[in-house]
Amino acid sequence: FCNTRKNTIYGRYVFFSRNQDNGESIDHYVTALKNLASTCEFGALKESFICDWFVFGIQDSSVRERLTDVKLKLQFNKSGHPNSLKSN
């Protein structure tokens, strides 16, 4: 039990420590996140964590801002509650 839990915690540490490297393509970065997430036991939240961490770890701050805005708009559209989310 402890060994499995330790590996999961370490896998999550590696996943959440991973940011896009200088000069790394977006495709390579996304692939790396997907590979790392496969050891994290995220369950139903796996795709959400990959998406979120992709935005958090991307190098270009202007791209990150646009992705954050797009993600908020997508969540807004899914929520059906016009006042629940606001993007700046």
Side-chain angles (χ1 to χ4, degrees), residues 11 15 28-40 46 50:
F15 177 84
H28 188 268
Y29 177 49
V30 169
T31 299
L33 288 177
K34 287 180 178 181
N35 288 336
L36 291 171
S38 68
T39 65
C40 295
K46 180 179 175 180
I50 292 170

Side-chain angles (χ1 to χ4, degrees), residues 45-88:
L45 296 174
K46 180 179 175 180
E47 293 300 318
S48 181
F49 280 138
I50 292 170
C51 182
D52 290 350
W53 206 256
F54 168 75
V55 173
F56 298 154
I58 200 160
Q59 287 287 323
D60 189 327
S61 60
S62 65
V63 172
R64 183 175 37 255
E65 283 182 33
R66 287 185 299 206
L67 288 170
T68 302
D69 187 48
V70 167
K71 190 168 192 305
L72 286 175
K73 287 179 182 174
L74 288 173
Q75 288 175 347
F76 172 81
N77 290 337
K78 288 179 184 178
S79 73
H81 301 287
N83 296 320
S84 63
L85 290 171
K86 295 180 183 179
S87 62
N88 295 330

